[in-house]
Amino acid sequence: MAELRAVPSGDESPEGVDPNARLADLLRQSSWGDEGAFSQLYDAVAPRLYGMVVRVLRDPAQSEEVTQEVFLEIWRQSARFDPDRGSALGWMMTIAHRKAVDRVRSAAAAGRRDHGYHEANQDVDYDSTAEAAQASLEAERVRKALQTLTPAQRGALELAFFGGYTHTEVAAMLDLPLGTAKTRIRDGLIRLRDTLGLSS
């Protein structure tokens, strides 16, 4: 896959065929090394996955690169897809979101390294240092609290709050009814609140 090619909207399926079942079947065939099936899978979902990535990265060039990484991961991990645990599209969208977030974190880490010397040699007043330390402790508490959620709750919350997606968009990405997506987000927030000891 040298470059991200123009593809159709991603919603086309042969008449009478369940799109989710078709994607799951293409994933299964891809896991057997069927390049033709993988090409069909690419054409079917590339617009959705690229759209997810570009929403996170806000950079078309980087988004194309990350989308290629996503498809490489899908090709390598296709045998791990379990239709009993969710839809094929939801599984692939989760990979896309994770890869995009990883790129953001990698870029942030590189930026911190680039500015590390400068920051280390700046005079920082005590209040700023204390505030930064407190923020770091709070972030660690939140990270640990997130690990107490179920994978379903955590995935929905990450899309809604870190990805900036609406409940309707989260439901579409995870191939869930809107009410189910809202319930996962609400239950996840309640569990986070209780874990962090916050009042309602």
Side-chain angles (χ1 to χ4, degrees):
M1 293 174 293
E3 61 182 47
L4 190 66
R5 62 182 185 267
V7 291
S9 67
D11 294 324
E12 296 85 352
S13 291
E15 194 167 339
V17 175
D18 176 10
N20 290 321
R22 175 173 173 262
L23 293 178
D25 187 54
L26 290 172
L27 263 177
R28 185 175 64 254
Q29 293 176 55
S30 297
S31 73
W32 301 334
D34 187 333
E35 293 183 11
F38 187 72
S39 180
Q40 291 179 55
L41 183 70
Y42 179 97
D43 289 343
V45 300
R48 298 283 292 274
L49 300 191
Y50 174 78
M52 156 77 81
V53 172
V54 80
R55 287 280 306 262
V56 175
L57 296 180
R58 312 287 184 185
D59 180 328
Q62 275 200 66
S63 297
E64 287 190 10
E65 183 180 320
V66 170
T67 302
Q68 293 304 316
E69 293 175 8
V70 169
F71 276 101
L72 183 59
E73 182 80 0
I74 290 169
W75 173 256
R76 289 174 172 166
Q77 302 295 330
S78 53
R80 294 190 173 190
F81 169 66
D82 181 356
D84 293 332
R85 299 184 64 184
S87 73
L89 181 60
W91 182 76
M92 291 183 283
M93 292 290 271
T94 299
I95 291 174
H97 182 260
R98 188 182 71 239
K99 286 284 186 185
V101 170
D102 285 348
R103 175 62 64 95
V104 170
R105 289 174 176 160
S106 177
R112 287 194 297 271
R113 286 194 300 271
D114 290 344
H115 294 91
Y117 178 81
H118 175 74
E119 294 294 328
N121 288 283
Q122 292 297 306
D123 292 328
V124 181
D125 62 87
Y126 174 80
D127 289 342
S128 295
T129 302
E131 185 177 314
Q134 182 64 31
S136 178
L137 288 172
E138 288 300 315
E140 182 60 25
R141 283 185 68 213
V142 171
R143 278 194 294 273
K144 287 181 178 178
L146 281 169
Q147 295 307 310
T148 69
L149 304 180
T150 67
Q153 290 171 342
R154 188 164 58 248
L157 273 182
E158 285 178 347
L159 287 173
F161 293 97
F162 301 136
Y165 295 99
T166 66
H167 289 177
T168 301
E169 289 171 328
V170 171
M173 289 172 185
L174 297 179
D175 194 29
L176 297 170
L178 178 58
T180 302
K182 286 182 175 180
T183 298
R184 287 185 183 180
I185 292 168
R186 185 193 67 232
D187 291 350
L189 286 173
I190 291 171
R191 190 164 181 174
L192 271 182
R193 184 195 68 202
D194 293 345
T195 302
L196 293 169
L198 303 175
S199 59
S200 54

